[in-house]
Amino acid sequence: MYQLFPDKDVKCTRISIPCRDGRNMPALVVTPKIPRKHAPGILWIHGGGYMTGMKEMVYMSRAIDLVKNYGATVISPGYRLSIRKPYPAAIEDCYDALLYLKNHASELEINRDQIMAGGESAGGGLCAALCMMARDTGEVNIAYQMPLYPMLDNFDTETSADNHGKVWNTKKNHIAWKLYLRKDAWKKVSPYAAAARQNDYTGLPPAYSFVGDGEPFYAETCTYINNLKMAGIEAKLDVYHGNMHAFDMMKPKLAISRQAAWAFNRHFEYARNHYFAKN
């Protein structure tokens, strides 16, 4: 597993993001040592089942490749975790971070027409929900989304039920949703709470994801990408054989992890050259 400290080839700045409720949220801004003007600006959201994790997980995420290889500027928000504050705290914090990214585009020297969002696991679920919220409010146009093996569905699916995979499994999944949604854990909640509850996928950003075929979130990831495609959205999914959730972060030297990293970078390179959204 990668360490939770900055890569020597990137620059990290700690900031405070003003939130709409008057709080200040801690966040990290990760940039190349030599900044590139008009590069994509990416909100990258850490995983941890909505209940654990930290903004420093960005250092072990796929987002670092986007900084090092493509000059992207990445913001990693320290959103409120469900062990203290359940839904809607996390998505509200992520939305505030998205607004910050847009409103400070000039200061951050990013291309305001290439604001993107990504994240892994619960961060992928928040990424998907964030894209839905941004579409519905019309305040930020997200050019591209990268929800990797996302945690989307508060109901059991054919692969999250009775799953004993490595790193994440059915028992952990139930605990996590119960903490995040509390009494509404097994109800038809808002898509902002569990993105799989969405019925309208029109107008969402193009997407890329990858997932293992033996892990709990395989079915819901496939369903999400297929729903985007049926709505006419360009969406791609790569599937790898294995039951280790977040395998690219947990075991980066595995052959499939290296393959996944390579494919992720190629898809991002295409997105950087083709996907724009006017802001």
Side-chain angles (χ1 to χ4, degrees), residues 168-248:
W168 201 254
N169 54 45
T170 303
K171 182 178 179 180
K172 289 180 179 179
N173 205 42
H174 286 175
I175 291 170
W177 280 115
K178 181 67 175 177
L179 272 173
Y180 188 52
L181 301 180
R182 304 295 166 95
K183 62 182 177 60
D184 295 327
W186 322 125
K187 296 180 181 179
K188 290 185 178 180
V189 294
S190 163
Y192 305 155
R197 304 282 72 79
Q198 182 63 258
N199 294 316
D200 178 11
Y201 289 79
T202 58
L204 292 174
Y208 173 70
S209 183
F210 66 83
V211 69
D213 61 5
E215 74 138 276
F217 301 150
Y218 173 55
E220 58 209 75
T221 303
C222 292
T223 298
Y224 182 66
I225 295 297
N226 286 336
N227 285 341
L228 288 170
K229 288 180 178 179
M230 288 190 293
I233 309 299
E234 291 186 61
K236 303 288 185 182
L237 174 65
D238 286 327
V239 176
Y240 298 93
H241 182 61
N243 69 347
M244 180 182 292
H245 179 63
F247 61 87
D248 64 308

Coordinates of all heavy atoms in Angstrom, one line a residue, residues 168-248:
W168 N -13.3 -5.4 1.8 CA -14.7 -4.9 2.0 C -15.6 -6.1 1.8 O -15.4 -7.0 0.9 CB -15.1 -3.8 1.1 CG -16.3 -3.0 1.6 CD1 -17.5 -3.0 1.0 CD2 -16.3 -2.0 2.6 NE1 -18.3 -2.1 1.7 CE2 -17.6 -1.5 2.7 CE3 -15.3 -1.6 3.5 CZ2 -17.9 -0.5 3.7 CZ3 -15.6 -0.6 4.5 CH2 -17.0 -0.1 4.5
N169 N -16.7 -6.2 2.5 CA -17.6 -7.3 2.4 C -19.0 -6.9 2.9 O -19.3 -5.7 3.2 CB -17.1 -8.5 3.3 CG -16.9 -8.1 4.7 OD1 -17.7 -7.4 5.3 ND2 -15.7 -8.5 5.3
T170 N -20.0 -7.9 2.9 CA -21.3 -7.6 3.2 C -21.5 -7.0 4.6 O -22.2 -6.0 4.8 CB -22.2 -8.8 3.1 OG1 -22.1 -9.3 1.7 CG2 -23.7 -8.5 3.3
K171 N -20.9 -7.6 5.6 CA -21.0 -7.1 6.9 C -20.5 -5.6 7.1 O -21.2 -4.8 7.7 CB -20.2 -8.0 7.9 CG -20.3 -7.6 9.3 CD -19.5 -8.5 10.2 CE -19.6 -8.1 11.7 NZ -18.9 -9.1 12.6
K172 N -19.4 -5.3 6.5 CA -18.9 -3.9 6.6 C -19.8 -3.0 5.8 O -20.0 -1.9 6.3 CB -17.5 -3.9 6.0 CG -16.4 -4.5 6.9 CD -15.0 -4.4 6.3 CE -13.9 -5.0 7.1 NZ -12.6 -5.0 6.5
N173 N -20.3 -3.5 4.7 CA -21.2 -2.6 3.9 C -22.5 -2.3 4.7 O -22.9 -1.1 4.6 CB -21.5 -3.4 2.6 CG -21.9 -2.4 1.5 OD1 -21.3 -1.4 1.3 ND2 -22.9 -2.8 0.7
H174 N -23.1 -3.2 5.3 CA -24.3 -3.0 6.1 C -24.0 -2.0 7.3 O -24.8 -1.1 7.5 CB -24.8 -4.3 6.7 CG -25.5 -5.1 5.6 ND1 -26.0 -6.4 5.9 CD2 -25.8 -4.9 4.3 CE1 -26.5 -6.9 4.8 NE2 -26.4 -6.0 3.8
I175 N -22.9 -2.2 7.9 CA -22.5 -1.2 9.0 C -22.3 0.2 8.5 O -22.8 1.2 9.1 CB -21.2 -1.7 9.7 CG1 -21.5 -3.0 10.5 CG2 -20.7 -0.6 10.6 CD1 -20.2 -3.7 11.0
A176 N -21.7 0.3 7.3 CA -21.4 1.6 6.8 C -22.6 2.3 6.3 O -22.8 3.5 6.6 CB -20.4 1.4 5.6
W177 N -23.5 1.6 5.7 CA -24.8 2.3 5.2 C -25.7 2.7 6.5 O -26.3 3.7 6.5 CB -25.6 1.4 4.3 CG -25.1 1.4 2.9 CD1 -24.5 0.4 2.2 CD2 -25.1 2.6 2.0 NE1 -24.1 0.8 0.9 CE2 -24.5 2.2 0.8 CE3 -25.5 3.9 2.1 CZ2 -24.4 3.0 -0.3 CZ3 -25.4 4.7 1.0 CH2 -24.8 4.3 -0.2
K178 N -25.6 1.8 7.5 CA -26.4 2.1 8.7 C -25.9 3.4 9.4 O -26.7 4.2 9.8 CB -26.3 0.9 9.6 CG -27.1 1.1 10.9 CD -28.6 1.2 10.7 CE -29.4 1.2 12.0 NZ -30.9 1.3 11.7
L179 N -24.6 3.5 9.4 CA -24.0 4.7 10.0 C -24.3 6.0 9.1 O -24.6 7.1 9.7 CB -22.5 4.6 10.1 CG -22.0 3.9 11.4 CD1 -20.5 3.7 11.3 CD2 -22.3 4.8 12.6
Y180 N -24.2 5.8 7.8 CA -24.4 7.0 6.9 C -25.9 7.5 6.9 O -26.2 8.6 6.9 CB -23.9 6.6 5.5 CG -23.8 7.8 4.6 CD1 -23.2 9.0 4.9 CD2 -24.4 7.7 3.3 CE1 -23.1 10.1 4.1 CE2 -24.3 8.8 2.4 CZ -23.7 9.9 2.8 OH -23.6 11.0 1.9
L181 N -26.8 6.5 6.7 CA -28.2 6.8 6.6 C -29.0 6.6 7.8 O -30.2 7.0 7.8 CB -28.8 6.0 5.4 CG -28.1 6.2 4.0 CD1 -28.7 5.3 3.0 CD2 -28.1 7.6 3.6
R182 N -28.5 6.0 8.8 CA -29.2 5.8 10.1 C -30.5 5.1 9.9 O -30.5 4.1 9.3 CB -29.3 7.2 10.9 CG -28.0 7.9 11.1 CD -27.0 7.1 12.0 NE -25.7 7.6 11.9 CZ -25.1 8.5 12.8 NH1 -25.9 9.0 13.8 NH2 -23.9 8.9 12.7
K183 N -31.6 5.7 10.3 CA -32.9 5.0 10.3 C -33.4 4.8 8.9 O -34.3 4.0 8.6 CB -33.9 5.8 11.1 CG -34.2 7.2 10.5 CD -35.2 7.9 11.4 CE -35.5 9.3 10.9 NZ -36.0 9.4 9.6
D184 N -32.8 5.5 7.9 CA -33.2 5.3 6.5 C -32.3 4.4 5.7 O -32.4 4.3 4.5 CB -33.2 6.7 5.8 CG -34.2 7.6 6.4 OD1 -35.3 7.2 6.9 OD2 -34.0 8.9 6.5
A185 N -31.5 3.6 6.4 CA -30.5 2.8 5.7 C -31.1 1.9 4.6 O -30.5 1.6 3.6 CB -29.7 2.0 6.7
W186 N -32.3 1.3 4.9 CA -32.8 0.3 3.9 C -34.0 0.9 3.2 O -34.9 0.1 2.8 CB -33.1 -1.0 4.7 CG -32.1 -1.3 5.7 CD1 -32.3 -1.6 7.0 CD2 -30.7 -1.4 5.5 NE1 -31.1 -1.8 7.7 CE2 -30.1 -1.8 6.8 CE3 -29.8 -1.3 4.4 CZ2 -28.7 -1.9 7.0 CZ3 -28.4 -1.5 4.6 CH2 -27.9 -1.8 5.9
K187 N -34.1 2.2 3.1 CA -35.3 2.8 2.5 C -34.9 3.4 1.1 O -33.7 3.6 0.8 CB -35.8 3.9 3.4 CG -36.4 3.4 4.7 CD -37.0 4.5 5.5 CE -37.5 4.1 6.9 NZ -38.0 5.2 7.7
K188 N -35.9 3.8 0.3 CA -35.7 4.5 -0.9 C -35.4 5.9 -0.7 O -36.3 6.8 -0.6 CB -36.9 4.3 -1.9 CG -37.1 2.9 -2.4 CD -38.2 2.8 -3.4 CE -38.4 1.4 -3.9 NZ -39.5 1.3 -4.9
V189 N -34.1 6.2 -0.5 CA -33.6 7.5 -0.2 C -33.4 8.4 -1.4 O -33.5 7.9 -2.5 CB -32.4 7.5 0.7 CG1 -32.7 6.8 2.0 CG2 -31.3 6.7 0.0
S190 N -33.0 9.6 -1.2 CA -32.6 10.5 -2.3 C -31.4 10.0 -3.0 O -30.5 9.4 -2.4 CB -32.3 11.9 -1.7 OG -31.6 12.7 -2.7
P191 N -31.3 10.2 -4.3 CA -30.1 9.8 -5.1 C -28.8 10.6 -4.5 O -27.7 10.1 -4.7 CB -30.4 10.3 -6.5 CG -31.8 10.3 -6.6 CD -32.3 10.7 -5.2
Y192 N -29.0 11.7 -3.9 CA -27.9 12.4 -3.2 C -27.3 11.6 -2.1 O -26.2 11.7 -1.7 CB -28.2 13.8 -2.8 CG -28.8 14.7 -3.8 CD1 -29.7 15.7 -3.5 CD2 -28.6 14.5 -5.2 CE1 -30.2 16.6 -4.4 CE2 -29.1 15.3 -6.1 CZ -30.0 16.3 -5.7 OH -30.5 17.2 -6.7
A193 N -28.2 10.7 -1.5 CA -27.8 9.9 -0.4 C -27.2 8.5 -0.8 O -26.2 8.0 -0.3 CB -29.0 9.6 0.6
A194 N -27.8 7.9 -1.8 CA -27.4 6.7 -2.4 C -27.6 6.8 -3.9 O -28.8 6.7 -4.4 CB -28.1 5.5 -1.9
A195 N -26.6 7.0 -4.7 CA -26.7 7.4 -6.1 C -27.5 6.3 -6.9 O -28.1 6.7 -8.0 CB -25.3 7.7 -6.7
A196 N -27.5 5.1 -6.5 CA -28.2 4.0 -7.2 C -29.7 4.3 -7.2 O -30.4 3.6 -8.0 CB -27.9 2.7 -6.6
R197 N -30.2 5.1 -6.4 CA -31.7 5.4 -6.3 C -32.1 6.4 -7.5 O -33.2 6.7 -7.6 CB -32.1 6.0 -5.0 CG -31.7 5.1 -3.8 CD -32.7 4.0 -3.6 NE -32.6 2.9 -4.5 CZ -31.7 2.0 -4.5 NH1 -30.8 2.0 -3.5 NH2 -31.6 1.1 -5.4
Q198 N -31.1 6.8 -8.2 CA -31.4 7.8 -9.3 C -32.3 7.1 -10.4 O -32.0 6.0 -10.8 CB -30.1 8.3 -9.9 CG -30.3 9.3 -11.0 CD -31.0 10.6 -10.6 OE1 -32.2 10.8 -10.8 NE2 -30.2 11.4 -9.9
N199 N -33.2 7.8 -10.9 CA -34.1 7.4 -12.0 C -33.8 8.1 -13.3 O -34.2 7.7 -14.4 CB -35.5 7.4 -11.7 CG -35.9 6.5 -10.6 OD1 -35.5 5.3 -10.6 ND2 -36.7 7.0 -9.6
D200 N -33.2 9.3 -13.3 CA -32.9 10.1 -14.4 C -31.4 10.4 -14.6 O -30.8 11.1 -13.8 CB -33.7 11.4 -14.3 CG -33.5 12.4 -15.4 OD1 -32.9 12.0 -16.5 OD2 -33.8 13.6 -15.3
Y201 N -30.9 9.8 -15.6 CA -29.4 9.9 -15.8 C -29.1 10.9 -16.9 O -27.9 11.0 -17.3 CB -28.8 8.5 -16.1 CG -28.8 7.6 -14.9 CD1 -29.9 6.9 -14.5 CD2 -27.6 7.4 -14.2 CE1 -29.9 6.1 -13.4 CE2 -27.6 6.6 -13.1 CZ -28.8 5.9 -12.7 OH -28.7 5.1 -11.6
T202 N -30.0 11.5 -17.5 CA -29.8 12.5 -18.6 C -29.0 13.7 -18.0 O -29.2 14.1 -16.9 CB -31.1 13.0 -19.2 OG1 -31.9 13.6 -18.2 CG2 -31.9 11.8 -19.8
G203 N -28.1 14.2 -18.9 CA -27.4 15.4 -18.5 C -26.3 15.2 -17.6 O -25.6 16.2 -17.1
L204 N -25.9 14.0 -17.2 CA -24.8 13.7 -16.3 C -23.5 13.7 -17.1 O -23.5 13.5 -18.3 CB -25.0 12.4 -15.6 CG -26.1 12.4 -14.5 CD1 -26.3 11.0 -13.9 CD2 -25.8 13.4 -13.4
P205 N -22.4 13.9 -16.5 CA -21.1 14.0 -17.2 C -20.7 12.6 -17.8 O -21.1 11.6 -17.2 CB -20.1 14.5 -16.2 CG -20.9 15.0 -15.0 CD -22.2 14.2 -15.1
P206 N -19.9 12.6 -18.8 CA -19.2 11.4 -19.3 C -18.5 10.7 -18.1 O -18.0 11.4 -17.2 CB -18.3 11.8 -20.4 CG -18.8 13.1 -20.8 CD -19.4 13.8 -19.6
A207 N -18.3 9.4 -18.2 CA -17.8 8.7 -17.0 C -16.8 7.6 -17.4 O -16.9 7.0 -18.5 CB -18.9 8.1 -16.2
Y208 N -15.9 7.3 -16.4 CA -15.0 6.1 -16.5 C -14.9 5.5 -15.1 O -14.8 6.2 -14.1 CB -13.6 6.5 -17.0 CG -12.7 5.2 -16.9 CD1 -12.9 4.2 -17.8 CD2 -11.7 5.2 -16.0 CE1 -12.1 3.0 -17.7 CE2 -10.9 4.0 -15.9 CZ -11.1 3.0 -16.7 OH -10.4 1.8 -16.6
S209 N -15.0 4.2 -15.1 CA -14.8 3.5 -13.8 C -14.1 2.1 -14.1 O -14.0 1.7 -15.2 CB -16.1 3.2 -13.2 OG -15.9 2.6 -11.9
F210 N -13.5 1.6 -13.1 CA -13.1 0.2 -13.1 C -13.4 -0.5 -11.8 O -13.6 0.2 -10.8 CB -11.6 0.0 -13.5 CG -10.6 0.6 -12.5 CD1 -10.2 -0.2 -11.4 CD2 -10.0 1.8 -12.6 CE1 -9.3 0.3 -10.4 CE2 -9.1 2.3 -11.7 CZ -8.7 1.5 -10.6
V211 N -13.5 -1.8 -11.8 CA -14.0 -2.6 -10.6 C -13.5 -4.0 -10.8 O -13.3 -4.5 -11.9 CB -15.5 -2.5 -10.5 CG1 -16.2 -3.2 -11.6 CG2 -16.0 -2.9 -9.1
G212 N -13.4 -4.7 -9.7 CA -13.1 -6.2 -9.7 C -14.4 -7.0 -9.7 O -15.4 -6.6 -9.1
D213 N -14.4 -8.1 -10.4 CA -15.7 -8.9 -10.6 C -16.1 -9.7 -9.4 O -17.2 -10.3 -9.4 CB -15.6 -9.7 -11.9 CG -14.4 -10.8 -11.8 OD1 -13.8 -10.9 -10.7 OD2 -14.2 -11.5 -12.8
G214 N -15.2 -9.8 -8.4 CA -15.6 -10.5 -7.2 C -15.8 -9.7 -6.0 O -16.1 -10.2 -4.9
E215 N -15.8 -8.4 -6.1 CA -15.9 -7.5 -4.9 C -17.4 -7.1 -4.8 O -18.2 -7.2 -5.7 CB -15.0 -6.3 -5.1 CG -15.4 -5.3 -6.1 CD -15.2 -3.8 -5.5 OE1 -16.2 -3.4 -4.8 OE2 -14.2 -3.2 -5.8
P216 N -17.8 -6.5 -3.6 CA -19.2 -6.2 -3.4 C -19.8 -5.2 -4.4 O -21.0 -5.4 -4.7 CB -19.2 -5.7 -2.0 CG -18.0 -6.2 -1.3 CD -17.0 -6.4 -2.4
F217 N -19.0 -4.3 -4.9 CA -19.6 -3.2 -5.6 C -19.6 -3.5 -7.1 O -19.9 -2.6 -7.9 CB -18.9 -1.9 -5.4 CG -18.9 -1.5 -3.9 CD1 -17.9 -0.7 -3.4 CD2 -20.0 -1.8 -3.1 CE1 -17.9 -0.3 -2.0 CE2 -20.0 -1.5 -1.8 CZ -19.0 -0.7 -1.2
Y218 N -19.3 -4.7 -7.5 CA -19.3 -5.0 -9.0 C -20.6 -4.8 -9.6 O -20.7 -4.1 -10.7 CB -18.8 -6.5 -9.1 CG -18.9 -7.0 -10.6 CD1 -18.3 -6.3 -11.6 CD2 -19.7 -8.1 -10.9 CE1 -18.3 -6.8 -12.9 CE2 -19.7 -8.6 -12.2 CZ -19.1 -7.9 -13.2 OH -19.1 -8.4 -14.5
A219 N -21.7 -5.3 -9.1 CA -23.0 -5.2 -9.7 C -23.4 -3.7 -9.8 O -23.9 -3.3 -10.9 CB -24.0 -6.0 -9.0
E220 N -23.3 -3.0 -8.7 CA -23.8 -1.6 -8.8 C -23.0 -0.7 -9.7 O -23.5 0.2 -10.3 CB -23.9 -1.0 -7.4 CG -22.7 -1.0 -6.5 CD -23.0 -1.1 -5.0 OE1 -23.3 -2.2 -4.6 OE2 -22.8 -0.1 -4.3
T221 N -21.7 -1.0 -9.8 CA -20.8 -0.3 -10.7 C -21.3 -0.5 -12.2 O -21.4 0.4 -13.0 CB -19.4 -0.6 -10.6 OG1 -19.0 -0.4 -9.2 CG2 -18.5 0.2 -11.5
C222 N -21.5 -1.8 -12.5 CA -22.0 -2.1 -13.8 C -23.3 -1.5 -14.1 O -23.5 -0.9 -15.2 CB -22.1 -3.6 -14.0 SG -20.5 -4.5 -14.0
T223 N -24.2 -1.5 -13.2 CA -25.5 -0.9 -13.4 C -25.4 0.6 -13.6 O -26.1 1.1 -14.5 CB -26.4 -1.2 -12.1 OG1 -26.6 -2.6 -12.0 CG2 -27.8 -0.5 -12.3
Y224 N -24.6 1.3 -12.8 CA -24.4 2.7 -13.0 C -23.9 3.1 -14.4 O -24.5 4.0 -15.0 CB -23.5 3.2 -11.9 CG -23.3 4.7 -11.9 CD1 -24.3 5.6 -11.6 CD2 -22.1 5.3 -12.3 CE1 -24.2 7.0 -11.7 CE2 -21.9 6.7 -12.3 CZ -22.9 7.5 -12.0 OH -22.8 8.9 -12.1
I225 N -22.9 2.4 -14.8 CA -22.3 2.7 -16.1 C -23.3 2.4 -17.2 O -23.5 3.2 -18.2 CB -21.0 1.9 -16.3 CG1 -19.9 2.4 -15.3 CG2 -20.5 2.1 -17.8 CD1 -19.5 3.9 -15.5
N226 N -24.0 1.3 -17.1 CA -25.1 0.9 -18.1 C -26.2 1.9 -18.1 O -26.7 2.3 -19.2 CB -25.6 -0.5 -17.8 CG -24.6 -1.6 -18.2 OD1 -23.7 -1.4 -19.0 ND2 -24.7 -2.7 -17.5
N227 N -26.6 2.4 -17.0 CA -27.7 3.4 -16.9 C -27.2 4.7 -17.6 O -28.0 5.4 -18.3 CB -28.1 3.7 -15.5 CG -28.9 2.6 -14.9 OD1 -29.5 1.8 -15.6 ND2 -29.0 2.5 -13.6
L228 N -26.0 5.1 -17.4 CA -25.5 6.3 -18.1 C -25.5 6.1 -19.6 O -26.0 6.9 -20.4 CB -24.0 6.6 -17.7 CG -23.9 7.1 -16.2 CD1 -22.4 7.1 -15.9 CD2 -24.4 8.5 -16.1
K229 N -25.1 4.9 -20.1 CA -25.1 4.6 -21.5 C -26.5 4.6 -22.1 O -26.7 5.2 -23.2 CB -24.5 3.2 -21.7 CG -23.0 3.2 -21.5 CD -22.5 1.7 -21.8 CE -21.0 1.6 -21.6 NZ -20.5 0.2 -21.9
M230 N -27.4 4.1 -21.3 CA -28.8 4.1 -21.8 C -29.4 5.5 -21.9 O -30.3 5.7 -22.7 CB -29.7 3.2 -20.9 CG -29.4 1.7 -21.1 SD -30.6 0.6 -20.2 CE -30.3 1.0 -18.5
A231 N -28.9 6.4 -21.1 CA -29.3 7.8 -21.2 C -28.5 8.6 -22.2 O -28.7 9.8 -22.4 CB -29.1 8.4 -19.8
G232 N -27.7 7.9 -23.0 CA -26.9 8.6 -24.1 C -25.7 9.2 -23.6 O -25.1 10.0 -24.3
I233 N -25.2 8.9 -22.4 CA -24.0 9.5 -21.9 C -22.8 8.5 -22.2 O -22.9 7.3 -22.1 CB -24.0 9.6 -20.3 CG1 -25.3 10.3 -19.9 CG2 -22.8 10.3 -19.8 CD1 -25.5 11.7 -20.4
E234 N -21.7 9.1 -22.7 CA -20.5 8.4 -22.9 C -19.9 7.8 -21.6 O -19.6 8.6 -20.7 CB -19.4 9.2 -23.6 CG -19.8 9.6 -25.1 CD -18.7 10.3 -25.8 OE1 -17.6 9.6 -25.9 OE2 -18.9 11.4 -26.2
A235 N -19.9 6.5 -21.5 CA -19.4 5.9 -20.2 C -18.7 4.6 -20.5 O -19.1 3.8 -21.4 CB -20.6 5.7 -19.3
K236 N -17.5 4.4 -19.8 CA -16.7 3.3 -20.0 C -16.4 2.6 -18.7 O -16.3 3.2 -17.7 CB -15.4 3.7 -20.7 CG -15.5 4.4 -22.0 CD -15.9 3.5 -23.1 CE -15.9 4.3 -24.5 NZ -16.4 3.4 -25.6
L237 N -16.3 1.3 -18.8 CA -16.0 0.5 -17.6 C -15.1 -0.6 -17.9 O -15.2 -1.4 -18.9 CB -17.3 -0.2 -17.0 CG -17.2 -1.1 -15.9 CD1 -16.6 -0.4 -14.6 CD2 -18.5 -1.8 -15.5
D238 N -14.0 -0.7 -17.1 CA -13.1 -1.9 -17.2 C -13.3 -2.8 -16.0 O -13.4 -2.3 -14.9 CB -11.6 -1.4 -17.2 CG -11.2 -0.8 -18.6 OD1 -11.8 -1.2 -19.6 OD2 -10.4 0.2 -18.6
V239 N -13.3 -4.1 -16.2 CA -13.5 -5.1 -15.2 C -12.3 -5.9 -15.1 O -11.8 -6.4 -16.1 CB -14.8 -5.9 -15.5 CG1 -14.9 -7.0 -14.4 CG2 -16.0 -5.1 -15.6
Y240 N -11.9 -6.1 -13.8 CA -10.7 -7.0 -13.6 C -11.1 -8.1 -12.7 O -12.0 -8.0 -11.9 CB -9.6 -6.1 -12.9 CG -9.1 -5.0 -13.7 CD1 -9.7 -3.7 -13.7 CD2 -8.1 -5.2 -14.7 CE1 -9.3 -2.7 -14.5 CE2 -7.7 -4.2 -15.5 CZ -8.3 -2.9 -15.4 OH -7.9 -1.9 -16.2
H241 N -10.4 -9.2 -12.9 CA -10.8 -10.5 -12.1 C -10.1 -10.4 -10.8 O -8.9 -10.4 -10.6 CB -10.3 -11.7 -12.9 CG -10.7 -13.0 -12.2 ND1 -12.0 -13.3 -11.9 CD2 -9.9 -14.0 -11.7 CE1 -12.0 -14.5 -11.3 NE2 -10.8 -14.9 -11.2
G242 N -10.9 -10.5 -9.7 CA -10.4 -10.5 -8.4 C -11.5 -10.0 -7.4 O -12.4 -9.4 -7.7
N243 N -11.3 -10.4 -6.1 CA -12.3 -10.1 -5.1 C -11.7 -9.1 -4.1 O -12.3 -8.9 -3.0 CB -12.8 -11.3 -4.4 CG -11.7 -12.0 -3.5 OD1 -10.5 -11.6 -3.6 ND2 -12.1 -12.9 -2.7
M244 N -10.6 -8.4 -4.4 CA -10.1 -7.4 -3.5 C -10.6 -6.0 -3.8 O -10.3 -5.5 -4.9 CB -8.5 -7.4 -3.5 CG -7.9 -6.4 -2.6 SD -6.1 -6.4 -2.6 CE -5.7 -8.0 -1.9
H245 N -11.3 -5.5 -2.9 CA -11.8 -4.1 -3.1 C -10.7 -3.1 -3.1 O -9.7 -3.3 -2.3 CB -12.8 -3.8 -2.0 CG -13.4 -2.4 -2.1 ND1 -14.1 -1.9 -3.1 CD2 -13.3 -1.4 -1.2 CE1 -14.5 -0.7 -2.9 NE2 -14.0 -0.3 -1.7
A246 N -10.7 -2.1 -4.0 CA -9.6 -1.1 -4.0 C -8.2 -1.8 -4.2 O -7.2 -1.3 -3.7 CB -9.6 -0.3 -2.8
F247 N -8.2 -2.8 -5.1 CA -6.9 -3.5 -5.3 C -5.8 -2.6 -5.8 O -4.6 -2.9 -5.4 CB -7.2 -4.7 -6.3 CG -7.6 -4.2 -7.6 CD1 -6.7 -3.9 -8.6 CD2 -9.0 -4.2 -8.0 CE1 -7.1 -3.5 -9.9 CE2 -9.4 -3.8 -9.2 CZ -8.5 -3.5 -10.2
D248 N -6.1 -1.6 -6.5 CA -5.1 -0.7 -7.1 C -4.4 0.1 -6.0 O -3.2 0.4 -6.1 CB -5.6 0.2 -8.1 CG -6.7 1.2 -7.6 OD1 -7.6 0.7 -6.9 OD2 -6.5 2.4 -7.8

